[in-house]
Amino acid sequence: MAGLKELAESLGLSITTVSRALDGYSDVSEKTRLRVVAAANAAGYRPNAAARRLRRQRTDIVMMPLPSTDGEIATSHLTRVVASCARDLLAHRINLMIAPVPSEETELELCRNLVDGQRIDAMLLVRTRRNDPRVDFLLDRGIPFVTDGRTESARPHPWLDGDGFSAFKTATQRFIADGHLHIGMIGADESFYFAHDRAEGYRAAMRAAGRPELMVQGTLNEAGGYAAARQIMTGHVPPTAILCATDSMALGALAALHEMDSNVAIVGHDDLAMGAFSQPRLSSMRIDTEDQGARLAGLLLRTLAGEPVADLNELLPVTAVDRDSHLRRAI
C-alpha cells in the first residue's frame, strides 16, 4: 500500500497539495482533487485518520451526555432514537458517542470538560430543561449542537420536538367527550420542558371544560408511575381516566390500578413496544415521524454545515396509538 510521500511523487505534486486535496480544501482545484482521489484509490492509499483529524481540527465525534439513574443509561425509546441517529451520522463518517454522567459530576461540567479538551465537533442534548445551562454554555462557546426537545431560552438554537401540548390537550378533550368527569394526570418534574409542555396541554383542556385538575408528579420510571397512581386514586376525588407523561410511568400505573382493582382509563406517551403486551394493552401517543433519530442526524449535519438556526427547528405532530387501556368505563 502506497504512503502519502509515494503517492505525491507518483503524481508529481507536493505532499501538502495531496494532503489538502484528500481533505477537501477549497484551495485545491476540483480537477486536481479528482486526480488525487483517483490515484489514491488505485494505489489503495488510506490516510491516517488521527493525523487527518488533527490537520482539519476535527474529531468526527458528536457527543451525547446522558445522566444515569440507578444504573439505567437510557429508556428503550431513547435507545431506539439514538441508534437510528448514530446510523445516519456514521454514513457521513461521524461517530455519535454516549457519555454517561458520573453521579458526582453534572452534565454542564461534562460538557465543559469535553469542549475545553477539544474532544468533540458537536453535541446532541437530550432531556432538555426549560432553563438549560448546557444550551447557554454551548452557544457562548460557539459549539454546534442540537437539542432533542425545546427549552425556554430566548437565544435561538437547533431543536427537534413533538407537540406535547397539543397532544395532551387533545387526549384530555377526548376523555371529556367519552363522558369522564374526573380526569387525572400523572406528570413528571416540570423543570423538564417535555413534562411541562404535556402538563400544560392537560391543564388547558381542563380549564376550558371548567374541570378541576387532579394532578400528581412521579419519577420518570415504572416505580414513579406506580406510586403516583396509588396516590391519585386514594385522593378525595379519584379519577376515572388518567393521562401519564410517559409510557414507563403508565405501565407502573397500570400495575397499581390492577392491585387496587380500579377500572380506570389510561393513556401514556412514547409508544413503547412493551405497551402492546401489557394487560390491558396500553394506549399511547407517539411523535408522528417515520424516523426521529434520522431527523436528529439530519439537523446535526445541517448544523455542522452552518445552515441558519431559523431553518433548524422542527416541531412535529403527535398522534394517538389506540389499543385498549383508553376504552375503560366512564362514570
Side-chain angles (χ1 to χ4, degrees):
M1 182 181 293
L4 184 63
K5 180 179 178 182
E6 291 76 16
L7 183 63
E9 288 176 349
S10 71
L11 291 165
L13 299 171
S14 69
I15 292 176
T16 299
T17 297
V18 171
S19 176
R20 293 180 73 81
L22 291 171
D23 285 343
Y25 282 92
S26 59
D27 59 352
V28 178
S29 70
E30 183 66 7
K31 180 179 179 180
T32 298
R33 187 189 71 80
L34 292 174
R35 180 178 166 226
V36 170
V37 170
N41 289 337
Y45 172 73
R46 295 292 180 270
N48 181 281
R52 191 176 185 185
R53 285 195 296 269
L54 185 61
R55 289 194 302 272
R56 299 171 67 193
Q57 295 186 322
R58 284 187 53 178
T59 64
D60 295 326
I61 292 174
V62 172
M63 190 68 74
M64 187 183 82
L66 190 63
S68 58
T69 302
D70 297 329
E72 179 182 305
I73 295 297
T75 64
S76 59
H77 168 71
L78 183 59
T79 300
R80 184 174 68 232
V81 171
V82 170
S84 175
C85 182
R87 176 203 64 210
D88 281 31
L89 289 176
L90 190 59
H92 292 81
R93 298 184 179 181
I94 296 174
N95 296 291
L96 176 63
M97 301 183 70
I98 295 175
V101 182
S103 57
E104 66 275 8
E105 188 176 25
T106 68
E107 287 183 77
L108 182 58
E109 289 170 335
L110 179 62
C111 289
R112 184 177 289 112
N113 290 335
L114 292 169
V115 170
D116 290 348
Q118 297 182 331
R119 303 177 204 174
I120 59 169
D121 289 334
M123 299 194 82
L124 172 61
L125 302 181
V126 299
R127 298 179 181 172
T128 52
R129 295 187 179 269
R130 294 162 65 188
N131 299 299
D132 201 315
R134 302 172 301 172
V135 167
D136 286 330
F137 171 74
L138 294 175
L139 287 171
D140 288 343
R141 292 298 184 89
I143 302 299
F145 70 97
V146 170
T147 63
D148 180 24
R150 285 165 286 170
T151 70
E152 292 180 356
S153 174
R155 304 168 69 182
H157 61 83
W159 53 260
L160 175 75
D161 204 358
D163 190 355
F165 177 90
S166 295
F168 275 71
K169 182 179 179 181
T170 298
T172 305
Q173 291 170 332
R174 190 179 184 189
F175 277 148
I176 292 170
D178 287 343
H180 291 278
L181 297 177
H182 306 296
I183 302 167
M185 178 165 178
I186 294 176
D189 178 357
E190 288 192 45
S191 67
F192 290 106
Y193 189 97
F194 83 88
H196 179 69
D197 196 39
R198 295 171 189 181
E200 283 293 281
Y202 161 77
R203 293 186 184 111
M206 295 295 278
R207 282 195 302 267
R211 306 284 182 84
E213 297 171 16
L214 299 172
M215 188 167 182
V216 297
Q217 287 189 1
T219 54
L220 283 165
N221 53 32
E222 291 83 357
Y226 177 90
R230 295 195 69 90
Q231 179 183 344
I232 202 170
M233 293 304 298
T234 54
H236 180 64
V237 181
T240 61
I242 299 174
L243 295 98
C244 294
T246 69
D247 276 2
S248 294
M249 301 180 83
L251 289 167
L254 279 177
L257 294 170
H258 177 73
E259 287 182 1
M260 300 173 76
D261 196 25
S262 298
N263 191 15
V264 176
I266 192 165
V267 170
H269 185 292
D270 289 339
D271 189 23
L272 295 185
M274 66 185 73
F277 302 97
S278 63
Q279 291 296 327
R281 297 187 308 151
L282 180 63
S283 297
S284 185
M285 303 177 237
R286 64 165 172 247
I287 295 178
D288 192 9
T289 179
E290 183 175 338
D291 194 330
Q292 187 176 341
R295 282 183 175 269
L296 283 170
L299 284 175
L300 280 162
L301 292 169
R302 291 165 62 194
T303 300
L304 285 165
E307 289 193 26
V309 173
D311 298 333
L312 299 174
N313 296 153
E314 293 190 25
L315 182 63
L316 303 174
V318 175
T319 58
V321 181
D322 288 343
R323 294 192 179 101
D324 301 324
S325 65
H326 73 288
L327 297 172
R328 311 192 88 176
R329 66 181 173 85
I331 298 175

